[in-house]
Amino acid sequence: DLSDDPNDTTDVDLDNDGDAEDETVTDILSEDDVIVYTGISPNGDGINDVFVIRGIENLENTLEIYNRWGVKVFSMDNYGRNDNFFRGISNGRTTVLSKDELPVGTYYYVLEYVLDTGERKNKTGYLYINR
């Protein structure tokens, strides 16, 4: 019933299938189609082994990942292209040795990217590594 009148009991068939029992479908759209998934389990089983950012592979971008003390443990330009992914291994400064597997825990990312329109955007948030 789409009427504001509480006494109007007329049902409306929104999906035109012959009955008034219509499903509600809601599309949740990101403002720019870049979606960040916040968990990885880089244990070699082929499931969630890399940090996935949907929609970033065709955009100019830079990704940085920091540990809880603010030490940069990973940095990559053009993330998501040519198998360039974060796999829970540091490529950061010498306090965290390159090629060391990072411990289980929460890390923080800073993603900067440029849309096809030329607009510069950024996203920040957390990701969790579980081995």
Side-chain angles (χ1 to χ4, degrees):
D1 179 11
L2 298 178
S3 172
D4 290 332
D5 180 357
N7 297 319
D8 182 358
T9 60
T10 306
D11 290 327
V12 177
D13 182 13
L14 294 175
D15 62 3
N16 296 319
D17 66 354
D19 63 31
E21 296 175 2
D22 297 319
E23 295 179 8
T24 301
V25 177
T26 304
D27 287 334
I28 300 174
L29 301 174
S30 172
E31 64 187 48
D32 53 25
D33 296 328
V34 172
I35 301 169
V36 179
Y37 295 90
T38 59
I40 66 171
S41 60
N43 57 11
D45 67 357
I47 302 169
N48 297 323
D49 285 336
V50 301
F51 182 42
V52 175
I53 304 174
R54 295 260 186 251
I56 200 66
E57 61 278 353
N58 295 321
L59 302 175
E60 178 185 332
N61 69 78
T62 300
L63 174 69
E64 295 176 341
I65 297 176
Y66 298 86
N67 67 15
R68 63 183 175 174
W69 297 285
V71 175
K72 188 188 305 182
V73 297
F74 183 84
S75 181
M76 178 70 58
D77 289 333
N78 298 316
Y79 187 79
R81 294 185 203 162
N82 301 319
D83 204 35
N84 289 329
F85 293 103
F86 175 64
R87 293 176 168 79
I89 298 173
S90 174
N91 72 357
R93 65 184 214 186
T94 58
T95 57
V96 178
L97 297 176
S98 180
K99 304 297 183 205
D100 277 354
E101 287 187 354
L102 296 168
V104 167
T106 302
Y107 295 80
Y108 302 91
Y109 69 85
V110 176
L111 174 64
E112 297 179 352
Y113 55 100
V114 180
L115 297 176
D116 293 334
T117 62
E119 181 181 4
R120 297 181 94 48
K121 305 280 275 188
N122 64 57
K123 289 183 187 259
T124 60
Y126 75 93
L127 72 122
Y128 188 78
I129 296 176
N130 188 22
R131 295 194 185 272

